[in-house]
Amino acid sequence: MQSNLSISYNRLIVALFAFGLIATCFALFWITLLGSRSIAEHEITRTAKSQAALTRLVVDQYFERLEIQIRSIASDPDIRAAIEQKDLPTALRIAEQATLGLNNAVLDLLLIDLPSEPDWLDVSLGLVDIREHIPAKIRNSFPPDLWVAFTNHDIEPEYMIAALSVSILHPESGELIGKIVGGIAITDSYILPGLLADTLSVFSLGLFHENEMVAGMGDITTGDLPNIWPETLGETTSALRGDTLYIATPLKQTFDGHLFSAVIQQPVDTLQKVDDTYLRLFPPFLLYTLLLTIGIALLINKITSGGLRSLLTYTSDLSRSNVPDPPPPGLIREFNQLAKNFHHAFEVTLERDAQFRELIDDSIQGMVIHANEKILYINNALLQILDYGADQLVGQSIWKIYAPEEHERMRKYRKLRLEGGVVPSVYDVKALKKSGDPIWVEQHVRMTSWNGSPAIHATVTDIEKRKAQEKLIEQYADYDVLTGLPNRNLFLDRLRRNLVQQEKSNSSGAVFLISLDQLKSADNRFDHETRDLILQELAKRIETVVGSRDTVSRHGYDEFTVLLADINDDWKPKQVAQEILQTLSKEIDVGKDKGIELTANIGISVYPLDSANETTLLKQAESAKDHAKSERHNQFRFFSKQMNEKATRALVLETTLGKAIDKGELNLRFQPVINVDTGKLIVCDAAVCWQNKQLGLVTAAEITSAAEDAGLTQALGRWTLQQTCAFYRSVVDEGYRLPAISISVSSHQCCDPEFSQTLKSALTSADIDPSGLRLELSDGFTSGQIPDLQNTFSRLAGLGVKVTLGNFGISATSLEELTSLPIDMLKIDRALTDDAIQDLNRQKLVKAITTMANSMNIQVICNGADTREVCLLLRSLGCSFVQGDYVAPPMDPSSFKKYIREKNPKDQSIPAMG
C-alpha cells in the first residue's frame, strides 16, 4: 500500500537544516566534553605513576636505613672480637648501643648466628617474638646481603617478615665466623604505613602479600578494592572508581615468589570537575544553538518560498491542460531553469500525445480504456474486431463486449487489480461481437490513469485463428485424424484413470485388442480414399456396440482397442466381443456395386484379475488376440484361463439351452422366506437350474444370461411360469398351505407386450389364485423402461399379482423410480448382509433401507441369513423377513413339500427368537 504522508519542500529544507545544525553543535559539544575528560584521565594516570614511584622511593629509603644499622653492627671490630672470644655480654652491649640511635627505623629482629651455635645473640626490639617464624634452618637459606620478604605458612598466625642476612668474616683469614640477621615484621606494622601516608599525603593505604592485606591504615579493606593486582615486579596498576583512585605498586618479591605490594586509596575530583563545568555550560549553549537555528531557518524559508510558490502555481495550471507563460525569474537559478523545462516538456508532450493518439486509433491491435465499468476510449481496430461502428461503445458498460460466462472471472480480476493484488496481466478471454457471436481475444491489461483518475488499459488481439490451430493440434495429439477416435496415448490415459478409480470402488473392467483380418490385403484392391472409408465404417460399427461410458480407440493401422469400464457382470465382455465380431463380419458397401467382408480376432484382458498396470493389460490382450488368431478367424479369447473357461462354458450353454427347454431338462429349486418373529412361512422363491452331463450344475444366473445371448428369454420365461404355477397347484392339491410363490423375471421380459398374456395363460392353465404368485424384478430397470413397466404392472395388479424388487442395494434403482411402480416388497441383496456382523457400515445401511421401506409401507426381505447370529442381527435392525441357508437351502420339489409338511425341525429355534 502506498503511503499518503507528504511534507512541503520549504518545511523539509528548514527541518533538515535545523536538524543538521543542531546535530553538529551537539556533536562539537560532545567531542569537547570527551576531549576534556580524556585530558583529565591522562592526568590521573600520570598522578598514579608519580605516586607509585614515590612509594617505591620511600620503601627503598626505609630499608636502606635499616640495612645501614645492620651492616654497622656487622662491621664493628669489637663485635668480631666478642664473637671470636664468644664473649656474649660484650656482644650484647655493643649491639644494644648500636640500636639506641634508631627512631623511625626500628629492627624488630636482630640475631647473631654462629656456625656452631645458632641464636647465639638476640637483641630484637619487636613487640612480637618472631624468631620462631624464621628458624636457623630458614635463615641459613637466605642469600647474603639481599632483603628477603618471607612468610612461614606452617605457623599460625602467619607473619610476613622482611629480613637481611649479613656475613661476619675474620679480618685476616676471611673465614665466616658468624651471621647477623636483621629485619622487620610487615604484618600489623604501623611504622612503614605511617611513613608512606605522611610522605604521599594520603589517609588510606595498605600493604599486601599477594591479594591479602597484612598492614595498613585508614578505611581501606581487601573487599572494597577493584581488580588492580600487578603481575610483575616492575608493573604499576591503577583504577578509578567514582571519585577514588586506587594505585597498586609492587615493592618486593617474597621468598616464595609472591609479590609484596602497596595499595594507595586517594580521592580524585578531576573528572567530576570537568563534568560539572560542562553541565553549567550546557543550558546557555543549548539556547544559543536554538536561536541560531531558528534565525537561519527563517532566512532560508524567506529565500526559497517565493520562487517555489510561483513554480507550484505554474505546474498546477499545466495539470489543468492550460499552457500559461512561465513564472518571472526568481532569486534561485535552479527554480527558474525548472520552470523553463516544465514549459518546454509540456509543449512537447502535447505534440507527442496528439501523434500517439493518431497512432493508437490507426493501430492494428485493439485497445480499450475503462473505469467504473464504463468504456472511456476504444480504438478503431477493436471496433473492427467486434463489428461495431464509431461512437457505438464509448460510455457503454464494459461487460457488453465480453461473453456472459467471462463476467465473473473478469470482475474478480478487476477487483484484485484495483486493490493492488496479484492478477494475470496477460490472458485469453471470450469476447462478443455486435451480432452476439463469441470471438477469442488475448488481453494485455495494466493500470493507467484517465483525466487524473485510475483506469484500466487493455490491449486486445484477435486469436481466433490461433485457438483453431490449438484445437487442431490438441486433436492431432489425442485423436486419430482419420476416424476421430482416441489414439493410443489418450486410450492409455483413460485406462490409467480407470485403474486408479478401480482401486477406490473395487470394480472391474476389460481391455479389448481387435485385429482386422484381410484389411492389408484389401489395400491392393482399393484406392486410398476407399480404404479410408472402410476404416471409418469399421470404427463406427465398433462404437455402436460399445456403450457411451466406454472407450473405443484406434491402436494401429488395422487394430482397435476397447476399454469396458465398471463391469458388473462377468458375461458382459463375452457379449460385447460377440456383438463386435458379428457387426464387423457384415459386408461393407464400397460403391460401384462392390462389397467387402472382413473378419476380426479379439484378445481380452480383465482388470484387476489379470493385472492392474495399463501396459501389462495391453500386452496381455495382444497375447490373447494372437491365441485367437492362431485357432481360426472371427474368434475372441481371454488372457486368463478362468475367463476362457467361462466363455467356453457360456458358448456350450447357449447352443444347448434351447433343446433343454424343449425336452424339459430344466428343473426348479425352491427356497423359503420366513418371519423370524413367528416362524411362519411368508413366500418361497422358485429358481431354475439344470443338471447337465457336460457342464454339471448350471445355476439360474448362468441360464438367464445364456437365454438373453441366445434370444431364448421369452421361451425360458414361459417354461418357468408354467412350471412354477403347476408346482404351486400341486402343493395346494396335496393339502399344504403355501402363502405365495415368487418367480424371478427381468425388466426386458416385463416390457414385452405379450408378457401379461403369457402370465395370464400360465395362471389359467394351472388354475391357481393370482394373489399367490409374486414376480421378483431381479435386474433393476432404467428410467426409459418405467412407462412400459407401469403398463405391465397395472395389468398384473388387475389380476392380483404382486411385485417384489430384488437385488436392492446393488442395482441402479433410485427412490424416485421405486415410488413410480406398484411395488409392495423389496429384497435386500446378500451382498449387503455378508460380513454384516463385523461391518458396522453395512448394518447402518440395512437399517436405513428397512426404515425407509417401512415408511413407504413396503415390506423388506433380507437375503443371506446363513447363520443364527445373522438372523438375530437382521431382526435387531428391523428386518423380520429373512431368507438363507440357516432357514433352509434351495430344495427340489419333493424336499420342499417335505419341508412344509414337517414344519422344518431345523427351524424350530427361530420362533424362540421373539
Side-chain angles (χ1 to χ4, degrees):
M1 176 180 285
Q2 294 182 347
S3 175
N4 294 324
L5 180 64
S6 62
I7 187 172
S8 72
Y9 175 78
N10 281 345
R11 291 181 181 178
L12 179 62
I13 293 299
V14 170
L16 291 176
F17 174 78
F19 176 78
L21 182 59
I22 292 173
T24 301
C25 292
F26 273 92
L28 290 175
F29 185 86
W30 184 253
I31 291 173
T32 305
L33 173 61
L34 293 180
S36 299
R37 288 182 63 88
S38 177
I39 293 173
E41 291 172 354
H42 179 74
E43 182 62 25
I44 291 172
T45 303
R46 190 185 64 80
T47 300
K49 292 181 178 180
S50 299
Q51 291 288 74
L54 185 57
T55 300
R56 288 192 182 95
L57 179 61
V58 171
V59 172
D60 289 344
Q61 289 179 350
Y62 179 72
F63 280 110
E64 284 178 3
R65 289 195 298 272
L66 292 176
E67 185 176 348
I68 290 172
Q69 296 298 326
I70 295 171
R71 290 189 181 279
S72 65
I73 296 173
S75 61
D76 190 336
D78 294 333
I79 283 292
R80 285 199 297 269
I83 290 173
E84 289 177 353
Q85 299 172 6
K86 293 187 179 182
D87 185 357
L88 185 60
T90 301
L92 177 62
R93 176 178 54 76
I94 295 172
E96 288 177 345
Q97 290 179 351
T99 59
L100 291 178
L102 299 176
N103 45 21
N104 60 351
V106 179
L107 289 169
D108 296 323
L109 173 69
L110 184 60
L111 298 172
I112 295 178
D113 293 327
L114 300 182
S116 59
E117 190 176 350
D119 298 323
W120 181 68
L121 177 64
D122 180 7
V123 288
S124 301
L125 301 178
L127 298 177
V128 179
D129 186 5
I130 58 175
R131 283 181 301 170
E132 62 178 352
H133 288 273
I134 51 172
K137 181 178 180 181
I138 293 176
R139 293 196 301 271
N140 289 334
S141 65
F142 286 170
D145 302 321
L146 291 176
W147 280 98
V148 175
F150 174 77
T151 300
N152 193 336
H153 300 289
D154 298 331
I155 301 177
E156 294 291 341
E158 294 182 355
Y159 270 87
M160 183 177 179
I161 300 170
L164 175 67
S165 176
V166 178
S167 301
I168 303 175
L169 304 177
H170 191 277
E172 294 178 358
S173 64
E175 181 184 358
L176 177 67
I177 60 175
K179 284 184 180 180
I180 183 168
V181 179
I184 62 171
I186 304 297
T187 300
D188 296 332
S189 173
Y190 66 90
I191 296 177
L192 182 57
L195 181 62
L196 287 171
D198 291 341
T199 305
L200 300 175
S201 300
V202 296
F203 298 100
S204 296
L205 61 85
L207 300 178
F208 289 82
H209 175 218
E210 196 61 13
N211 299 339
E212 295 294 331
M213 189 170 74
V214 295
M217 62 184 303
D219 56 359
I220 189 169
T221 62
T222 303
D224 295 336
L225 295 179
N227 187 17
I228 57 171
W229 306 110
E231 296 181 357
T232 60
L233 190 61
E235 180 183 7
T236 299
T237 57
S238 61
L240 185 64
R241 179 185 289 174
D243 57 355
T244 302
L245 177 64
Y246 295 89
I247 306 169
T249 306
L251 302 175
K252 299 288 184 180
Q253 190 164 15
T254 63
F255 195 65
D256 53 5
H258 295 158
L259 289 180
F260 166 47
S261 306
V263 177
I264 303 169
Q265 181 178 305
Q266 180 175 343
V268 176
D269 60 355
T270 306
L271 287 177
Q272 185 63 41
K273 288 180 179 179
V274 170
D275 293 341
D276 291 344
T277 300
Y278 275 86
L279 187 61
R280 288 194 304 271
L281 292 176
F282 184 72
F285 170 79
L286 179 62
L287 179 61
Y288 168 77
T289 300
L290 292 176
L291 291 176
L292 179 63
T293 302
I294 292 172
I296 297 178
L298 291 175
L299 179 61
I300 292 175
N301 182 64
K302 182 69 175 177
I303 294 173
T304 59
S305 60
L308 188 58
R309 192 178 302 110
S310 298
L311 189 60
L312 288 175
T313 302
Y314 172 67
T315 54
S316 297
D317 291 339
L318 289 179
S319 66
R320 291 191 290 270
S321 300
N322 298 326
V323 190
D325 295 330
L331 182 62
I332 300 178
R333 182 185 303 110
E334 285 77 6
F335 285 177
N336 299 335
Q337 186 61 42
L338 190 59
K340 292 180 181 180
N341 292 345
F342 274 145
H343 186 75
H344 177 70
F346 189 72
E347 290 179 337
V348 173
T349 301
L350 289 177
E351 181 180 354
R352 290 179 179 175
D353 186 59
Q355 295 174 352
F356 184 67
R357 181 67 174 267
E358 184 177 353
L359 288 174
I360 291 176
D361 287 339
D362 296 335
S363 173
I364 61 173
Q365 283 190 319
M367 186 176 298
V368 61
I369 298 176
H370 59 93
N372 300 322
E373 302 187 3
K374 297 293 182 182
I375 297 175
L376 304 176
Y377 168 79
I378 186 167
N379 72 343
N380 295 331
L382 186 53
L383 289 172
Q384 292 176 3
I385 292 173
L386 302 178
D387 295 335
Y388 280 95
D391 301 328
Q392 289 185 342
L393 288 177
V394 174
Q396 299 293 317
S397 172
I398 186 62
W399 309 119
K400 188 174 182 178
I401 67 174
Y402 294 110
E405 59 267 27
E406 299 283 5
H407 289 181
E408 183 179 355
R409 177 168 68 112
M410 298 287 288
R411 281 192 170 94
K412 181 180 178 181
Y413 285 177
R414 177 180 176 275
K415 181 181 179 182
L416 289 173
R417 188 171 282 108
L418 292 176
E419 292 175 352
V422 178
V423 64
S425 59
V426 180
Y427 53 88
D428 297 346
V429 64
K430 192 181 292 183
L432 278 184
K433 291 186 176 183
K434 184 179 180 180
S435 61
D437 296 331
I439 178 173
W440 279 103
V441 297
E442 180 184 78
Q443 289 198 150
H444 292 246
V445 184
R446 62 181 177 85
M447 291 300 298
T448 186
S449 63
W450 186 269
N451 292 334
S453 299
I456 298 176
H457 173 279
T459 302
V460 182
T461 305
D462 182 355
I463 59 170
E464 273 290 294
K465 293 182 179 179
R466 192 188 80 188
K467 283 290 183 180
Q469 292 174 350
E470 289 176 353
K471 186 176 181 180
L472 187 60
I473 292 172
E474 180 181 356
Q475 185 174 358
Y476 284 164
D478 292 333
Y479 292 87
D480 177 59
V481 178
L482 177 62
T483 62
L485 296 176
N487 61 15
R488 178 186 176 93
N489 293 333
L490 184 55
F491 179 84
L492 287 173
D493 180 69
R494 291 184 180 178
L495 176 56
R496 194 178 300 113
R497 293 173 184 269
N498 271 275
L499 290 172
V500 173
Q501 185 63 31
Q502 177 270 327
E503 292 182 0
K504 300 178 180 178
S505 61
N506 198 27
S507 59
S508 60
V511 175
F512 288 23
L513 181 59
I514 305 170
S515 176
L516 300 171
D517 297 327
Q518 300 100 25
L519 183 61
K520 291 184 179 179
S521 62
D523 289 349
N524 299 325
R525 298 161 50 192
F526 303 104
D527 56 24
H528 180 73
E529 293 181 357
T530 303
R531 291 197 301 270
D532 289 347
L533 290 174
I534 293 173
L535 284 171
Q536 291 170 347
E537 175 62 22
L538 293 172
K540 291 178 182 178
R541 291 185 180 186
I542 298 174
E543 282 189 297
T544 58
V545 175
V546 178
S548 59
R549 295 180 63 251
D550 303 319
T551 300
V552 180
S553 163
R554 188 179 180 192
H555 191 70
Y557 175 72
D558 58 351
E559 289 184 336
F560 293 88
T561 51
V562 174
L563 170 61
L564 297 184
D566 195 14
I567 298 174
N568 52 19
D569 183 358
D570 289 344
W571 306 111
K572 183 177 179 180
K574 175 188 73 67
Q575 296 169 0
V576 173
Q578 287 178 334
E579 292 182 24
I580 291 175
L581 292 176
Q582 289 174 3
T583 189
L584 292 180
S585 63
K586 295 178 182 178
E587 185 180 55
I588 301 175
D589 183 12
V590 294
K592 298 179 181 180
D593 298 327
K594 293 182 180 180
I596 180 174
E597 293 183 1
L598 300 175
T599 57
N601 292 284
I602 303 176
I604 306 172
S605 58
V606 179
Y607 63 85
L609 176 64
D610 295 329
S611 176
N613 177 270
E614 63 274 12
T615 305
T616 304
L617 285 169
L618 271 177
K619 290 181 179 179
Q620 291 171 341
E622 184 174 6
S623 176
K625 179 263 297 180
D626 294 339
H627 178 58
K629 184 179 289 189
S630 66
E631 293 183 350
R632 52 176 173 161
H633 296 304
N634 229 35
Q635 292 294 312
F636 69 89
R637 286 290 180 268
F638 287 92
F639 175 77
S640 66
K641 180 180 179 181
Q642 178 184 355
M643 293 300 294
N644 275 323
E645 290 175 351
K646 285 186 177 181
T648 302
R649 178 181 175 87
L651 185 60
V652 173
L653 183 57
E654 288 177 24
T655 58
T656 58
L657 181 59
K659 293 181 181 179
I661 295 174
D662 294 338
K663 293 180 179 181
E665 296 178 359
L666 304 183
N667 300 304
L668 291 177
R669 290 290 184 268
F670 304 93
Q671 188 173 22
V673 175
I674 68 147
N675 186 333
V676 293
D677 294 327
T678 64
K680 291 182 178 180
L681 180 65
I682 304 301
V683 67
C684 80
D685 288 349
V688 65
C689 65
W690 180 22
Q691 188 66 43
N692 182 273
K693 295 180 180 180
Q694 180 181 355
L695 302 176
L697 180 62
V698 183
T699 64
E702 291 180 287
I703 294 173
T704 302
S705 178
E708 291 179 356
D709 293 342
L712 298 173
T713 302
Q714 300 301 331
L716 178 64
R718 284 193 300 271
W719 183 90
T720 306
L721 280 172
Q722 292 170 358
Q723 295 300 315
T724 301
C725 292
F727 175 77
Y728 186 79
R729 178 73 265 174
S730 68
V731 171
V732 174
D733 290 344
E734 292 178 23
Y736 302 125
R737 183 180 180 277
L738 181 59
I741 191 167
S742 176
I743 181 173
S744 178
V745 294
S746 68
S747 57
H748 295 287
Q749 190 175 356
C750 292
C751 291
D752 187 350
E754 298 180 359
F755 178 72
S756 299
Q757 185 60 40
T758 302
L759 177 61
K760 186 175 181 180
S761 298
L763 292 170
T764 303
S765 176
D767 190 22
I768 64 173
D769 184 0
S771 63
L773 180 65
R774 179 176 289 275
L775 301 180
E776 180 180 330
L777 190 60
S778 58
D779 63 345
F781 51 88
T782 64
S783 57
Q785 293 175 316
I786 290 179
D788 293 335
L789 291 174
Q790 287 175 334
N791 293 333
T792 300
F793 291 157
S794 295
R795 290 193 292 269
L796 296 179
L799 297 175
V801 178
K802 297 181 180 180
V803 179
T804 300
L805 181 62
N807 297 335
F808 194 81
I810 63 170
S811 61
T813 304
S814 67
L815 292 177
E816 181 181 359
E817 295 166 343
L818 185 63
T819 58
S820 64
L821 298 175
I823 295 172
D824 68 339
M825 183 177 287
L826 62 83
K827 181 185 289 186
I828 297 177
D829 192 82
R830 70 184 302 122
L832 295 183
T833 59
D834 287 346
D835 299 327
I837 293 180
Q838 291 82 17
D839 194 335
L840 294 179
N841 290 328
R842 295 192 180 189
Q843 295 179 23
K844 294 177 182 178
L845 187 57
V846 170
K847 185 175 182 62
I849 294 174
T850 304
T851 303
M852 174 201 68
N854 292 336
S855 67
M856 301 170 65
N857 294 321
I858 297 176
Q859 294 178 315
V860 178
I861 299 173
C862 276
N863 194 5
D866 297 333
T867 65
R868 175 183 173 85
E869 290 76 10
V870 175
C871 288
L872 292 172
L873 174 65
L874 294 176
R875 188 181 66 172
S876 69
L877 296 176
C879 184
S880 298
F881 295 175
V882 298
Q883 182 183 44
D885 290 345
Y886 181 73
V887 176
M891 296 172 278
D892 58 41
S894 61
S895 298
F896 184 73
K897 289 179 181 180
K898 183 179 179 181
Y899 167 80
I900 298 175
R901 183 173 61 250
E902 297 177 356
K903 300 296 184 181
N904 193 4
K906 180 181 178 181
D907 193 49
Q908 291 300 312
S909 62
I910 294 178
M913 295 180 186

